[in-house]
Amino acid sequence: MIDTQALRMKILDAAIRGKLTMQLPEDGNAEDLCNEIQNEKQCLIKEGKIKKEKPLPPITEDEIPFEIPENWKWCRLQDVAIKITDGTHHSPPNDPAGDYMYVSAKNIKDSGISLENMTYVTKDVHEEIYSRCNPEFGDVLLIKDGATAGVVTVNNIKEPFSMLSSVALIKVDSGFVDAWYLAYSLRSDLLYSIVREIMKGTGIPRITLKQIYPLYIPLPPLAEQKRIVSKIDAIFSQLDQIDKEQKKLADNSIALRNRLLEHGIRGKLTSHLASDGDAEMLYADIQKEKQRLIKEGKIKKEKPLPEIAENDIPFDIPENWKWVRLGEIFSVYGGKRVPVGKKWVDYDTGHKYIRVTDMKDGTISSSDTKYITEDVFQQIKKYTISKDDVYITVAGTIGRVGLVPDEFDKANLTENADKICIYKSDKYFVYYLLSSQEIQSQILEMVTQVGQPKLAILRIQNLILPLPPLVEQMRIVEKLNQLLPLCDALKADISGDEAV
């Protein structure tokens, strides 16, 4: 697996150090370039096109993070930009339709401005905003507020638009500074880390215009800026292709995993042996077991579920298998929320509490285990889950299923998940079965039909499942346990994650 993002950052780092391109004598030097920029700005000030800026202190030796080529120069952003401003500081009325586009942080992407989810303002509103902030094609745009603060791009839209103050506008003269060179410099680890460091302790991630002005970049002569941009673009294009190929491989590994599960639940991974008996016998044994538990008061008697009609059956199964509804062979019980006014705690009380956020990758994560105190446990002690059960999430991310590690045996369960108590069947087979696309599509259809953000127990009970004999369930699990890790390992290798 190739970490293309790390490679991109190394390329940008090499670029701003002058190690990506040759320094040619005919390029001239950045000292003269900076003087030309200042002369141009003085002309624009005299013409009333831009305002005079307060001078910034020179860059000190202590501020310089690394050496650059002799014909380059460290410059403040204010000194290389013609103008730095931002959009409107109030939120004007904006709608899905209107006269002019209204760009905010959500529209700023690496490749330019995205038109997706664009809103619009009226002509009067636009003219008021545009008099302050007039973004043009080729201007540099920097997000300065919110979670994506520090993200920078170059305007790829030729028609006028209005901007919110969450985005800073950095105008450069293309005769002196290449906009994409500036954007790539600001994307580098050096500049991006400086921007993020400024935001620490502000509560909401934010950088102000006054903090943007003194930011410094290594400035090469214009000809070398263009060579750097051309070199970065060529390398990034190759990395983009690698990303596409790796995504295709990852998608294929997921598709292969799903295909194996589908083959497993259709009886196409294993032989069907006469010695296995048939699922009718297993079904009868399960019914006897449930009746015994009902008599002992351990489970409640449930209402009969509707018979499975011929047109309900999604695919053919082996002759010794049987179609059943989940509630016919298993029991489903909900969890319980922590009582109002009470909270989880981080210290070990002996009573673990499992949340949906802990339910990951078919298991339960122990990275952020929460506990409930003894008094809370006494109020909700009936709502626990066993290591022999399978969980299913019923709110938020609906339909996520998994197994319960031994360390979470008898832990209390959130109200946003249910437990499926399994009788005389292999819990691993049940987990794989419920993880399959066939059963997940049934769950999705149920949720879509009711239009509610929670999956009711009755709907889980009505899921239609193929039931093999127990011995064949175990053979299917053995086969999947051999094959699925290969898919998971491939996906992990591609994504850089650990295989689960």
Side-chain angles (χ1 to χ4, degrees):
M1 183 265 180
I2 299 174
D3 187 345
T4 55
Q5 183 56 29
L7 280 175
R8 283 183 173 85
M9 299 316 295
K10 286 182 179 179
I11 295 300
L12 293 180
D13 183 65
I16 65 172
R17 292 171 184 262
K19 296 181 178 181
L20 200 62
T21 48
M22 297 285 290
Q23 287 79 52
L24 306 177
E26 59 265 31
D27 290 342
N29 64 74
E31 184 73 49
D32 293 340
L33 183 62
C34 285
N35 291 333
E36 290 178 33
I37 294 172
Q38 295 312 307
N39 291 336
E40 175 66 16
K41 291 178 75 171
Q42 289 302 314
C43 291
L44 294 173
I45 290 169
K46 287 179 181 178
E47 294 172 6
K49 293 182 179 179
I50 62 173
K51 293 180 180 180
K52 187 176 181 179
E53 302 156 336
K54 292 182 180 179
L56 295 172
I59 298 172
T60 65
E61 286 291 328
D62 292 340
E63 289 180 284
I64 296 175
F66 52 79
E67 291 185 1
I68 54 175
E70 289 185 7
N71 64 334
W72 290 31
K73 180 180 174 62
W74 284 102
C75 300
R76 302 275 186 202
L77 204 54
Q78 175 178 282
D79 295 331
V80 300
I82 297 300
K83 179 182 180 181
I84 301 177
T85 186
D86 56 13
T88 177
H89 283 245
H90 68 277
S91 184
N94 56 96
D95 299 291
D99 300 320
Y100 289 88
M101 288 182 288
Y102 181 60
V103 173
S104 63
K106 73 177 186 296
N107 304 112
I108 305 299
K109 308 297 180 184
D110 283 349
S111 59
I113 295 175
S114 169
L115 301 182
E116 190 175 350
N117 299 319
M118 183 68 71
T119 58
Y120 296 80
V121 294
T122 63
K123 181 180 179 183
D124 290 344
V125 169
H126 167 75
E127 288 177 348
E128 179 186 347
I129 298 172
Y130 201 72
S131 63
R132 164 188 170 83
C133 177
N134 59 327
E136 298 173 304
F137 182 81
D139 287 342
V140 177
L141 305 174
L142 170 71
I143 299 177
K144 64 188 193 67
D145 290 351
T148 54
V151 172
V152 62
T153 196
V154 175
N155 178 25
N156 58 333
I157 295 178
K158 293 186 177 180
E159 58 187 283
F161 59 84
S162 290
M163 282 202 320
L164 187 61
S165 63
S166 59
V167 181
L169 167 69
I170 305 172
K171 279 186 173 292
V172 293
D173 188 318
S174 60
F176 305 117
V177 178
D178 186 289
W180 271 110
Y181 171 77
L182 178 57
Y184 284 141
S185 297
L186 292 171
R187 283 184 190 176
S188 69
D189 270 340
L190 169 70
L191 274 297
Y192 184 75
S193 62
I194 290 173
V195 170
R196 299 301 295 189
E197 185 65 29
I198 290 171
M199 298 177 193
K200 282 187 178 179
T202 59
I204 299 173
R206 178 175 294 148
I207 184 171
T208 65
L209 291 179
K210 287 184 178 180
Q211 292 169 320
I212 293 174
Y213 300 148
L215 291 176
Y216 47 86
I217 63 164
L219 186 69
L222 181 60
E224 189 169 357
Q225 292 178 41
K226 292 184 179 298
R227 289 200 302 275
I228 290 171
V229 170
S230 179
K231 191 78 171 178
I232 291 173
D233 287 346
I235 296 172
F236 279 15
S237 177
Q238 294 175 347
L239 294 177
D240 289 342
Q241 187 60 39
I242 291 172
D243 282 338
K244 290 178 182 177
E245 291 171 0
Q246 292 189 156
K247 183 181 184 302
K248 186 177 180 180
L249 283 172
D251 290 344
N252 286 344
S253 72
I254 294 170
L256 179 57
R257 191 180 202 280
N258 290 335
R259 188 73 178 269
L260 288 170
L261 288 176
E262 291 303 307
H263 274 51
I265 70 168
R266 290 170 184 251
K268 295 181 178 182
L269 280 184
T270 48
S271 300
H272 318 299
L273 307 178
S275 56
D276 293 343
D278 60 55
E280 285 289 356
M281 295 168 60
L282 175 60
Y283 181 82
D285 287 344
I286 292 173
Q287 299 312 306
K288 289 178 183 177
E289 177 67 8
K290 291 186 76 172
Q291 288 302 314
R292 182 184 69 80
L293 293 171
I294 291 169
K295 286 180 180 179
E296 293 176 3
K298 293 181 179 178
I299 64 173
K300 293 181 179 180
K301 187 175 181 179
E302 297 156 344
K303 293 180 180 180
L305 295 169
E307 290 187 8
I308 298 173
E310 192 68 33
N311 59 359
D312 289 331
I313 296 174
F315 52 81
D316 292 333
I317 54 175
E319 288 184 7
N320 64 334
W321 290 31
K322 178 179 175 63
W323 283 106
V324 297
R325 291 197 185 273
L326 185 146
E328 293 179 278
I329 56 173
F330 307 136
S331 297
V332 186
Y333 299 102
K336 189 73 171 178
R337 73 188 300 274
V338 173
V340 176
K342 301 291 184 179
K343 295 182 178 180
W344 319 301
V345 295
D346 293 316
Y347 57 89
D348 191 345
T349 65
H351 304 300
K352 293 178 179 177
Y353 187 86
I354 304 171
R355 304 160 297 163
V356 166
T357 53
D358 302 317
M359 298 174 176
K360 301 173 182 176
D361 302 320
T363 186
I364 295 172
S365 170
S366 58
S367 61
D368 187 29
T369 302
K370 300 300 181 185
Y371 300 84
I372 53 175
T373 55
E374 182 64 29
D375 63 316
V376 173
F377 174 71
Q378 290 301 324
Q379 295 181 61
I380 60 173
K381 61 184 179 182
K382 293 181 180 179
Y383 301 91
T384 60
I385 190 167
S386 160
K387 64 182 179 180
D388 298 319
D389 301 330
V390 170
Y391 69 72
I392 178 168
T393 58
V394 297
T397 304
I398 294 176
R400 185 187 297 165
V401 296
L403 300 165
V404 181
D406 289 354
E407 63 182 298
F408 288 97
D409 187 37
K410 306 303 181 186
N412 282 83
L413 182 66
T414 172
E415 80 280 9
N416 293 325
D418 293 344
K419 67 176 179 181
I420 299 173
C421 300
I422 299 163
Y423 310 119
K424 295 190 176 295
S425 287
D426 189 297
K427 69 176 181 180
Y428 296 97
F429 173 76
V430 176
Y431 161 61
Y432 286 140
L433 176 60
L434 296 179
S435 301
S436 69
Q437 284 189 311
E438 175 59 44
I439 306 306
Q440 287 292 311
S441 65
Q442 286 189 47
I443 293 170
L444 178 62
E445 186 177 356
M446 288 176 175
V447 175
T448 305
Q449 285 175 347
V450 296
Q452 294 178 351
K454 193 158 185 174
L455 183 63
I457 286 177
L458 181 58
R459 295 190 175 274
I460 297 172
Q461 292 173 328
N462 272 293
L463 288 172
I464 299 172
L465 312 178
L467 181 69
L470 178 58
V471 179
E472 189 169 355
Q473 290 181 31
M474 296 168 71
R475 286 204 304 276
I476 292 169
V477 168
E478 182 180 10
K479 198 76 172 176
L480 289 174
N481 284 346
Q482 293 171 355
L483 298 173
L484 292 181
L486 301 177
C487 302
D488 295 336
L490 174 61
K491 181 175 179 292
D493 184 53
I494 294 166
S495 64
D497 298 328
E498 293 184 5
V500 295

